[in-house]
Amino acid sequence: MVKSNRILTVGAAQLGPIGLNESREAVVDRLLALLETAHDRGCDLVVFPELALTTFFPRWYFQEQGAIDRFFETAMPGPDTARLFERAAEYGIGFCLGFAELVQQDGETMRYNACILVDKEGTIVGKYRKVHLPGHADHLPERKWQHLEKAYFDVGDLGFPVWRTMGGIMGMCICNDRRWPETYRMMGLQGVEMIMLGYNTPATEPPWGFEPTHLASLHNNLSMQSGAYQNATWVIGVAKAGREEGCDMMGGTLIVAPTGEIVAQGRTLDDELVVADCDLDACNHYKNTVFNFAEHRQPDQYGLITETAGVVLPPE
Ligand code: CDT
């Protein structure tokens, strides 16, 4: 059967734990195995998690910059990832890949928590750098696990762009970004039809302190389902899951339709491909009715609050 070019068969490629000393080569073998499954299942696009090539290294405090930099990529594709690009192009599958990016900008070394979108021909069509970096910048020795994203990464400087590719309007964000309505709305205002995102979310001891474990899934789903519905877009949320070096990471990989409904969900905490046929035309209904922004948004009435990072209290 010939598929409409507006239906994308998407594989959300959840990863189980990646060991601290697991080689890039071994990890890329795992990505290739998921890609192979995606090929067998007729996928057009595969979405891999945040920092998909390494363990979630911000959970450790490293004093030496060299010990941090070994987790970063200086070229994409690079020596370890070239095989992934080649095989995906051979299969005609596009992909989204999260990784730590080390780059020279205006004579300065910058480090980003980044992801790229690669089209079916193997060309990088888009890059996103994580804007909302959670956790803390200082070593907190009293904590069993650190969350040092604020120390190891610079705030992303590319905004929330979207790209016309693979027959649709595609966008990306990363992990903590998924909790912020602005993330989805910035892309929603550019007509986004599919948002791809990967995450590494500790199931215990989050950076904001204890919360009952059932809330981790609630907040994961709530954020992505409301982001999808309120912006009439598909959302593909892909976890790095399982017990990584003794730290439990939540799974819960999801494919969410523009109605806000979950159409496919991960069942394990391991390498697993979650597949769904995503009709980009399913975005049209809400984009043309309740969330017809041109017709119903009232930006003139939103005032200063949209431009201020913190809370603006009313005068006493
Ligand atoms: N990687 C990442 O951004 N993780 C954060 C921390 C979660 S702690 C529960 C997240 O928002 O998922």
Side-chain angles (χ1 to χ4, degrees):
M1 193 181 81
V2 179
K3 279 191 303 191
S4 137
N5 66 357
R6 294 279 290 165
I7 297 179
L8 288 179
T9 302
V10 179
Q14 179 174 286
L15 285 173
I18 297 179
L20 177 59
N21 294 316
E22 195 165 330
S23 69
R24 296 282 206 291
E25 194 185 1
V27 176
V28 172
D29 282 345
R30 288 169 59 183
L31 305 188
L32 286 172
L34 287 160
L35 192 70
E36 185 93 38
T37 308
H39 174 59
D40 292 344
R41 296 185 63 180
C43 291
D44 300 290
L45 173 65
V46 169
V47 183
F48 295 107
E50 173 190 38
L51 301 175
L53 299 171
T54 65
T55 197
F56 187 73
F57 59 90
R59 76 165 63 89
W60 288 286
Y61 173 60
F62 298 105
Q63 270 173 305
E64 300 294 322
Q65 190 61 52
I68 302 166
D69 285 351
R70 73 194 152 117
F71 297 107
F72 283 74
E73 310 302 311
T74 51
M76 193 54 72
D80 299 300
T81 46
R83 296 187 287 148
L84 181 66
F85 281 71
E86 283 156 19
R87 187 77 59 80
E90 201 178 292
Y91 288 156
I93 297 177
F95 66 92
C96 169
L97 177 73
F99 64 102
E101 178 195 24
L102 191 151
V103 70
Q104 300 301 321
Q105 280 179 312
D106 303 324
E108 244 191 293
T109 302
M110 304 298 282
R111 296 173 181 82
Y112 297 107
N113 187 341
C115 57
I116 45 167
L117 177 59
V118 179
D119 70 11
K120 291 180 167 199
E121 285 75 45
T123 304
I124 297 176
V125 291
K127 180 188 285 180
Y128 169 74
R129 292 172 174 156
K130 186 174 182 177
V131 167
H132 300 100
L133 298 174
H136 44 99
D138 299 322
H139 180 214
L140 301 178
E142 69 280 10
R143 284 184 61 117
K144 182 170 179 206
W145 302 113
Q146 307 297 303
H147 200 108
L148 285 161
E149 287 197 62
K150 284 192 190 296
Y152 295 166
F153 297 117
D154 296 293
V155 172
D157 61 348
L158 299 174
F160 291 99
V162 299
W163 299 271
R164 278 192 188 277
T165 184
M166 286 178 246
I169 303 179
M170 315 291 282
M172 298 184 279
C173 66
I174 300 178
C175 195
N176 190 260
D177 288 322
R178 78 191 185 286
R179 303 183 191 275
W180 298 88
E182 294 88 343
T183 297
Y184 303 91
R185 183 49 50 94
M186 295 318 293
M187 290 188 264
L189 286 168
Q190 301 169 81
V192 75
E193 295 176 315
M194 181 171 286
I195 296 176
M196 296 155 282
L197 69 97
Y199 59 91
N200 283 262
T201 299
T204 51
E205 226 189 326
W208 45 77
F210 174 78
E211 62 181 12
T213 46
H214 74 279
L215 291 181
S217 298
L218 172 68
H219 295 156
N220 187 51
N221 298 6
L222 189 64
S223 306
M224 292 194 273
Q225 290 182 262
S226 54
Y229 167 62
Q230 291 170 343
N231 296 281
T233 179
W234 288 89
V235 173
I236 318 295
V238 188
K240 164 105 78 59
R243 181 162 295 183
E244 194 174 83
E245 299 287 351
C247 177
D248 287 315
M249 311 287 285
M250 69 173 293
T253 290
L254 290 181
I255 298 184
V256 186
T259 53
E261 293 166 292
I262 295 170
V263 298
Q265 194 159 13
R267 294 176 170 190
T268 71
L269 292 175
D270 221 322
D271 292 9
E272 176 185 355
L273 192 77
V274 177
V275 179
D277 288 331
C278 304
D279 183 355
L280 299 178
D281 283 332
C283 301
N284 299 343
H285 177 69
Y286 292 125
K287 283 195 194 299
N288 293 329
T289 56
V290 63
F291 296 120
N292 180 332
F293 291 162
E295 195 112 323
H296 306 302
R297 283 185 83 243
Q298 299 295 346
D300 293 349
Q301 301 305 319
Y302 300 154
L304 265 183
I305 287 173
T306 56
E307 293 161 19
T308 312
V311 171
V312 181
L313 291 173
E316 293 273 342

